[in-house]
């Protein structure tokens, strides 16, 4: 009688992770995240800053188109009367503004980095450009026509404003000359683009300004005094148009 012998091959036992090994893996993953996350955040913010700059260029083009179609007159910058945007933090306020005819995409008026999602317009217009109001020296030095702008590449048109009320009123104003209120901010600019903001100029280009004074990032209210702040002086020089009229 023949006997049949069947050889069996031992199956290796599967060995799972030990607790120590699992903790090591988790630690490595956490380390990689901590290294990569800041870089990813910077990349995301850079993309949003580029998008914001493109939007501001579109708005400046619309601003230029208005002037072309209105015999060289600038669209009024006003927070109290009919201007480039109407008073009120609503979509209708944008649609009723004089600039909307030339730029009808609502989302263009809101920066993707603006933390206040309920703010319909992130951007404010230089109050020295065709402001019908009587803001001290602004009433004397304001520019009404495109031809009066002698340094278009240095004259700001749109500024990212961070109004503490959660909405912007359309105009951006700083006192000038500086002896009126030395070191005092009236309105104040945003700082959500890597401690800086975008500024659109009358010639159509947009610059990113990173603030040099850490106090600028800490602004939280109107009429804040910060003596010797170079960021305020830089912004005033881009807003104020009076030297161009001499």
């Amino acid at each position: 009688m023949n006997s049949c012998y069947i050889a069996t091959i031992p199956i290796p036992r599967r060995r799972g992770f030990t607790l120590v090994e699992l903790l090591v893996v988790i630690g490595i993953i956490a380390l990689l995240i901590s290294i990569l996350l800041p870089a990813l955040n910077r990349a995301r913010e850079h993309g949003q800053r580029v998008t914001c700059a493109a939007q501001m260029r579109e708005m400046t083009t619309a601003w230029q188109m208005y002037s072309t179609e209105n015999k060289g007159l600038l669209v009024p910058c006003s927070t109290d009367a009919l201007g480039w945007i109407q008073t009120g933090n609503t979509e209708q306020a944008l649609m009723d503004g004089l600039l909307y005819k030339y730029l009808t995409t609502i989302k263009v008026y809101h920066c993707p980095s603006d933390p206040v999602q309920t703010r319909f317009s992130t951007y404010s217009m230089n109050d020295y450009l065709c402001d019908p109001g009587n803001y001290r020296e602004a009433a004397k030095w304001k520019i009404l026509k495109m031809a009066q702008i002698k340094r278009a590449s240095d004259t700001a048109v749109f500024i990212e404003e961070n109004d503490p009320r959660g909405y912007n009123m359309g105009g951006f104003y700083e006192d000038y000359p500086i002896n009126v209120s030395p070191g005092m901010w009236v309105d104040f600019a945003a700082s959500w683009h890597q401690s800086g903001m975008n500024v659109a100029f009358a010639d159509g280009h947009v610059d990113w300004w990173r603030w040099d004074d850490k106090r600028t990032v800490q602004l939280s209210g109107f009429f804040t005094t910060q003596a010797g702040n170079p960021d305020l002086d830089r912004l005033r020089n881009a807003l104020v148009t009076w030297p161009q009229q001499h």
Side-chain angles (χ1 to χ4, degrees):
M1 182 175 177
N2 295 327
S3 61
C4 184
Y5 175 75
I6 301 176
T8 59
I9 300 175
I11 301 174
R13 293 181 59 189
R14 293 183 178 178
R15 178 176 174 272
F17 284 108
T18 66
L19 178 60
V20 172
E21 291 171 332
L22 185 60
L23 291 175
V24 170
V25 171
I26 293 173
I28 292 173
I29 293 173
L31 179 62
L32 290 174
I33 290 174
S34 67
I35 294 173
L36 294 175
L37 192 58
L40 292 173
N41 287 337
R42 285 193 298 270
R44 182 185 64 178
E45 168 48 36
H46 178 75
Q48 291 177 336
R49 176 158 57 90
V50 170
T51 298
C52 172
Q55 293 177 179
M56 296 182 80
R57 278 191 290 270
E58 288 187 65
M59 293 179 65
T60 307
T61 298
W63 175 79
Q64 294 168 337
M65 290 171 63
Y66 176 95
S67 179
T68 300
E69 289 193 7
N70 290 273
K71 300 179 179 180
L73 292 173
L74 298 179
V75 61
C77 170
S78 176
T79 58
D80 302 313
L82 182 62
W84 77 275
I85 185 174
Q86 281 282 38
T87 301
N89 184 42
T90 64
E91 183 175 328
Q92 194 61 47
L94 280 170
M95 297 174 67
D96 290 342
L98 297 176
L99 206 64
Y100 183 75
K101 171 186 175 182
Y102 306 92
L103 184 56
T104 58
T105 306
I106 292 293
K107 68 177 182 180
V108 170
Y109 296 89
H110 189 275
C111 171
S113 293
D114 189 342
V116 182
Q117 295 301 312
T118 55
R119 180 160 38 208
F120 276 87
S121 176
T122 298
Y123 312 107
S124 294
M125 187 179 290
N126 181 355
D127 236 338
Y128 287 85
L129 297 176
C130 198
D131 179 3
N134 295 304
Y135 289 118
R136 301 179 192 173
E137 78 285 350
K140 178 180 179 182
W141 299 116
K142 64 187 176 186
I143 279 180
L144 302 178
K145 293 185 177 182
M146 187 70 74
Q148 291 177 273
I149 300 177
K150 304 304 180 184
R151 300 195 310 273
S153 62
D154 297 323
T155 302
V157 177
F158 291 105
I159 301 96
E160 294 188 86
E161 182 178 0
N162 187 17
D163 194 311
R165 295 169 295 188
Y167 59 91
N168 292 340
M169 295 293 288
F172 191 96
Y173 179 77
E174 298 294 349
D175 283 330
Y176 200 93
I178 59 175
N179 60 9
V180 174
S181 53
M184 179 182 287
W185 294 83
V186 180
D187 292 331
F188 54 91
S191 59
W192 45 63
H193 290 308
Q194 295 172 306
S195 299
M197 70 166 184
N198 285 325
V199 187
F201 292 85
D203 67 343
H205 87 278
V206 177
D207 281 345
W208 171 57
W209 285 5
R210 185 163 187 169
W211 302 126
D212 294 325
D213 194 318
K214 64 181 181 180
R215 294 177 297 170
T216 306
V217 181
Q218 299 168 352
L219 286 167
S220 60
F222 297 119
F223 303 105
T224 298
T225 298
Q226 293 180 344
N229 188 328
D231 297 330
L232 176 58
D233 292 339
R234 183 185 186 188
L235 186 55
R236 278 172 164 164
N237 288 333
L239 292 172
V240 176
T241 54
W242 67 264
Q244 304 181 53
Q245 301 187 52
H246 286 265

